[in-house]
Amino acid sequence: MTIRPGAHCLFACAAWALRETGRSYREEQLYFLADGPVVEYAGAAGALYPPALDRIAAALSERLPVSVRLMNEGPGESASRAAAGRAEAGRRTLLVVDSRALAYKSFYRLGESRNHTVVLRGIDAARGAADVADLFLLEPSGEIGCWSGETDWRTLAAGVRHALWFEPRAAGSSSAAETAAAGGSSGRAGTFAAPGEPSDPEADMAEGLVRFLATDGTESRGLGAYRQWFASIGRQADEAAGELDALCREVYYRLRIGSVRHLLGYTKASLGTRLAKRFGEPLEDMLAGWKRLGASMYKAGAKQDREALRRAANAAAVRLDAMRGLLTAVAETAAVREGGTE
Amino acid sequence: MKDALAIASIVAEVLSLDREETMNLSPETDLREFDLNSMSAVDLVVLLEQRFGIEVEEEDLLIDRLCTPAAIERLVMKYKGLPAGGDAR
């Protein structure tokens, strides 16, 4: 099966691996089903993170008609061993790895350590070779491509942090619908598309946005996390003695990967024709605004300009309010289906 | 001409290229082919600001405003208040 570049390593790989179970979901759809927008703020580190993988796995398990298995690498369990066993049986497994263990590209090997997700789809134990698909290959030029081929298994295995995979739900197992209904987090619990039936990306996006918007005012999650994070950047502008450049690089990276830019891009990608006419351009404009703001923050670091970083952090708080307004309008309009009923 | 030389030096520095090689690039060469990315584009802006005493605004920080030698020259001229190609050549 051919591969093509995605917009985010985890969700692109998940969409591709999921097809093995006979289910077809778009990358952006899985992002919303997984509560991907609900980023988390770690107060001690003053940093923003994508949702924790165990939360993503739990959300997908609740909302997808498949079993979702997550295994960590560490004492008591070996994600790499489990993945190797599945690969020998020809089954796909998502591996979340230290990017420096990806020997097939020098910029991974020599670059900064980041979590990166690839799909392990085969293994040749005798030759120590792993067959890997990388669906979000961010080149140093900024161009996004993809890659598939063999890489050294021992090097890769040493960098494995988590493994995640999908399996058809066993007949008679407790249904995801029951779980979802009990949790009250999915209004469409029990309405899973059968294999081959089209699912509804726009509805999944709208429900994901509603859950995301409900996080405003909460501690350390979603919109609440963004508000805390930008406030902390303003404070760190004063405190980060001599480290302003590193702080701004990290802020730029976090705005680029797994936060507002993916939220807006995936929202736009989920729009059907009716909503795209009304919201496509405003979403694109807002995305461009966040790109410029990220560049401003990076520039503040490069110039060691603390005042510029403080100004940019304040501007981000204003942009968050505008984003909340736009996404609320998208979610509300999506909820009103053709014919005027919810 | 001296502005063009200064711009070439800065581009060469940011992209780790030879200055002579940079001078010989066509004005419409896409610098992304030489690994200009969104971050190095901002690094380029910072050096342009220092060299020319200008302050580039947020709207001009994205790579599509800086991805060719001609675009960079236009940007510098804009902030120096000169028409493109308006330096002492």
Side-chain angles (χ1 to χ4, degrees), chain A residues 139-142 249 252 256 288-289 291-293 295-296 298-300 302-303 305 311 315 319, chain B residues 32 35-40 42-43 45-46 49-50 54-63:
Chain A
E139 299 276 357
S141 65
R249 281 176 179 271
Y252 178 86
R256 167 78 180 83
K291 283 183 186 174
R292 287 194 296 269
L293 187 75
S296 287
Y298 180 90
K299 184 182 165 196
K303 292 182 76 173
D305 187 342
R311 277 199 309 272
R319 275 189 200 282
Chain B
R32 288 172 289 202
D35 284 349
L36 181 73
N37 60 31
S38 53
M39 288 187 288
S40 52
V42 178
D43 291 331
V45 165
V46 170
E49 288 185 345
Q50 289 169 353
I54 57 178
E55 182 78 29
V56 176
E57 291 171 8
E58 186 181 288
E59 64 180 33
D60 286 321
L61 289 181
L62 298 187
I63 192 168

Side-chain angles (χ1 to χ4, degrees), chain A residues 228-250:
Chain A
Q228 289 180 307
W229 186 51
F230 287 124
S232 83
I233 292 167
R235 289 193 300 274
Q236 289 179 75
D238 295 321
E239 296 161 3
E243 296 166 0
L244 202 67
D245 193 21
L247 169 67
C248 291
R249 281 176 179 271
E250 184 59 28

Side-chain angles (χ1 to χ4, degrees), chain A residues 104-117:
Chain A
Y104 50 87
K105 287 287 176 186
S106 59
F107 59 79
Y108 282 142
R109 216 170 47 242
L110 305 173
E112 200 171 339
S113 170
R114 300 276 188 192
N115 277 346
H116 187 63
T117 306

Side-chain angles (χ1 to χ4, degrees), chain A residues 113-285:
Chain A
S113 170
R114 300 276 188 192
N115 277 346
H116 187 63
T117 306
V118 297
V119 179
L120 177 67
R121 57 182 186 180
I123 196 163
D124 184 332
R127 292 191 299 117
D131 182 15
V132 163
D134 185 337
L135 284 83
F136 180 75
L137 197 116
L138 185 57
E139 299 276 357
S141 65
E143 196 173 326
I144 295 165
C146 55
W147 181 92
S148 63
E150 287 192 344
T151 190
D152 181 66
W153 169 241
R154 183 178 290 190
T155 306
L156 179 64
V160 169
R161 291 168 174 166
H162 312 278
L164 185 145
W165 65 89
F166 304 104
E167 290 173 340
R169 201 179 288 279
S173 67
S174 79
S175 75
E178 287 167 11
T179 311
S185 57
S186 170
R188 295 186 303 131
T191 59
F192 299 131
E197 277 184 25
S199 49
D200 189 343
E202 194 176 271
D204 289 332
M205 173 269 294
E207 289 171 11
L209 286 183
V210 168
R211 290 190 297 273
F212 167 69
L213 293 164
T215 59
D216 208 0
T218 62
E219 279 289 310
S220 308
R221 300 192 73 212
L223 270 164
Y226 282 116
R227 293 189 194 287
Q228 289 180 307
W229 186 51
F230 287 124
S232 83
I233 292 167
R235 289 193 300 274
Q236 289 179 75
D238 295 321
E239 296 161 3
E243 296 166 0
L244 202 67
D245 193 21
L247 169 67
C248 291
R249 281 176 179 271
E250 184 59 28
V251 169
Y252 178 86
Y253 176 81
R254 191 46 68 202
L255 284 172
R256 167 78 180 83
I257 303 287
S259 67
V260 283
R261 285 175 57 176
H262 276 104
L263 172 59
L264 293 166
Y266 279 149
T267 298
K268 183 166 179 276
S270 303
L271 300 178
T273 310
R274 180 178 66 103
L275 265 65
K277 259 185 224 166
R278 178 167 165 193
F279 294 110
E281 203 172 312
L283 283 165
E284 194 58 48
D285 288 346

Side-chain angles (χ1 to χ4, degrees), chain B residues 23-87:
Chain B
M23 283 297 294
N24 290 330
L25 294 175
S26 100
E28 297 306 327
T29 300
D30 190 339
L31 296 173
R32 288 172 289 202
E33 292 169 13
F34 294 87
D35 284 349
L36 181 73
N37 60 31
S38 53
M39 288 187 288
S40 52
V42 178
D43 291 331
L44 184 70
V45 165
V46 170
L47 291 177
L48 292 171
E49 288 185 345
Q50 289 169 353
R51 172 63 181 78
F52 293 103
I54 57 178
E55 182 78 29
V56 176
E57 291 171 8
E58 186 181 288
E59 64 180 33
D60 286 321
L61 289 181
L62 298 187
I63 192 168
D64 56 356
R65 302 290 175 100
L66 296 148
C67 58
T68 67
I72 295 168
E73 188 181 337
R74 280 195 298 273
L75 189 83
V76 170
M77 294 305 127
K78 172 182 168 182
Y79 285 94
K80 286 180 75 176
L82 297 169
D87 65 339

